[in-house]
């Protein structure tokens, strides 16, 4: 288990939101935290501790009036910490190189690969050819329906037909260096992890996976480690004191360090 930092940007501001509340119409979201600092501040903060493997997510659609402001913040963060973060949100094979050249370690992709409710293999192969498997993170963020977890797209608003199973993960791993998986139903709620999803991911874990969603306490963090068999990396957003939460950043780092030493 490693701690993976996140910088979520919405309407040109670093924010923590309730993931299931995000809407393109009106650029709306329920906000847990809106920072007075820019994205570069947080990138420099993580850089001082040499914490890599995080993600910067642009939460506005590319046709949003706020997209240019959100993109500018993302580029400032990449400039402040080259190769410290992957970046996602509106990535295609046409614009991926712009973000990689700006300092992204990886590009993170969902909607371009999952279109019309299923995997678009043509787009997936184009993207892999353009950036290389080693620089591609597939965002398999999901929501629960009928007791199963399905990949969701377009800022977690649309369900696809693609269900999180061992077979599906095996197939997608052929194209990606890592997976990023937000449990979107609990994202930003600090109400506990999605245990069933975590168990599935921890039992599989053939390539690196970063889990996000629902962590609100160190008990949740211990549960993630136990159920995920120590194989999942973790992102904490709204619950972290950096974003107005109650979990001290230094204590989280200490927990992860002790967990790795105990493995």
């Amino acid at each position: 288990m490693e701690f993976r930092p996140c910088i979520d940007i919405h309407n040109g501001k670093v924010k923590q939101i309730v993931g299931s509340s995000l809407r393109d119409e009106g650029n709306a979201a329920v906000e847990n935290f809106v920072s007075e600092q820019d994205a570069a501040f947080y990138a420099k903060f993580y850089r001082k501790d040499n914490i890599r493997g995080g993600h910067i997510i642009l939460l506005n659609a590319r046709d949003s009036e706020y997209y240019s402001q959100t993109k500018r913040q993302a580029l400032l963060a990449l400039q402040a910490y080259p190769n410290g973060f992957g970046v996602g949100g509106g990535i295609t094979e046409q614009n991926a190189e712009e973000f990689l050249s700006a300092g992204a370690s990886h590009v993170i992709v969902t909607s371009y690969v999952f279109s019309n409710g299923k995997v678009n293999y043509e787009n997936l192969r184009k993207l892999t050819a353009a950036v290389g498997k080693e620089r591609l993170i597939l965002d398999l963020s999901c929501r629960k329906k009928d007791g199963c977890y399905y990949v969701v797209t377009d800022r977690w608003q649309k369900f696809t037909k693609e269900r999180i199973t061992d077979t599906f993960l095996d197939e997608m791993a052929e194209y990606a260096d890592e997976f990023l998986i937000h449990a979107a139903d609990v994202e930003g709620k600090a109400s506990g992890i999605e245990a069933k999803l975590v168990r599935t991911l921890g039992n599989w874990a053939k390539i690196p996976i970063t889990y996000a969603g629902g962590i609100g306490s160190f008990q949740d963090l211990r549960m993630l480690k136990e159920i995920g068999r120590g194989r999942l990396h973790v992102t904490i957003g709204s619950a972290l004191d950096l974003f107005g939460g109650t979990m001290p950043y230094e204590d989280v780092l200490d927990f992860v360090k002790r967990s790795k030493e105990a493995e």
Side-chain angles (χ1 to χ4, degrees), residues 166-193:
D166 289 354
T167 300
F168 174 72
L169 295 172
D170 283 339
E171 190 173 1
M172 292 298 98
E174 295 295 319
Y175 298 92
D177 192 43
E178 297 187 20
F179 295 146
L180 170 63
I181 302 181
H182 293 80
D185 288 323
V186 296
E187 171 71 13
K189 295 182 179 179
S191 58
I193 64 173

Side-chain angles (χ1 to χ4, degrees), residues 133-152:
K133 173 183 174 179
E134 69 280 359
R135 301 196 77 178
L136 176 61
I137 295 174
L138 284 178
D139 185 336
L140 306 182
S141 294
C142 54
R143 297 177 68 180
K144 196 172 187 178
K145 182 171 68 172
D146 300 327
C148 299
Y149 293 92
Y150 291 85
V151 174
V152 288

Side-chain angles (χ1 to χ4, degrees), residues 105-120:
S105 63
H106 298 73
V107 288
I108 305 167
V109 183
T110 308
S111 297
Y112 183 66
V113 166
F114 298 92
S115 57
N116 297 318
K118 59 185 180 180
V119 178
N120 183 322

Side-chain angles (χ1 to χ4, degrees), residues 1-2 198 201-202 205 209-211 224 228-234:
M1 175 187 281
E2 295 178 2
V198 167
L201 300 176
I209 299 175
T210 297
Y211 170 87
L224 176 69
R229 303 174 63 184
R231 295 175 169 181
L232 305 181
H233 304 317
V234 60

Side-chain angles (χ1 to χ4, degrees), residues 3-7 46 51-56 84-85 234-236:
F3 172 72
R4 298 288 181 87
C6 63
I7 301 175
Y46 292 124
I51 299 175
R52 296 179 176 273
H55 53 276
I56 298 168
F85 290 89
V234 60
T235 285
I236 303 173

Side-chain angles (χ1 to χ4, degrees), residues 33 45 236-252:
F33 176 83
F45 181 89
I236 303 173
S238 297
L240 205 63
D241 62 351
L242 299 179
F243 303 116
T246 60
M247 296 178 70
Y249 167 76
E250 296 293 344
D251 290 353
V252 170

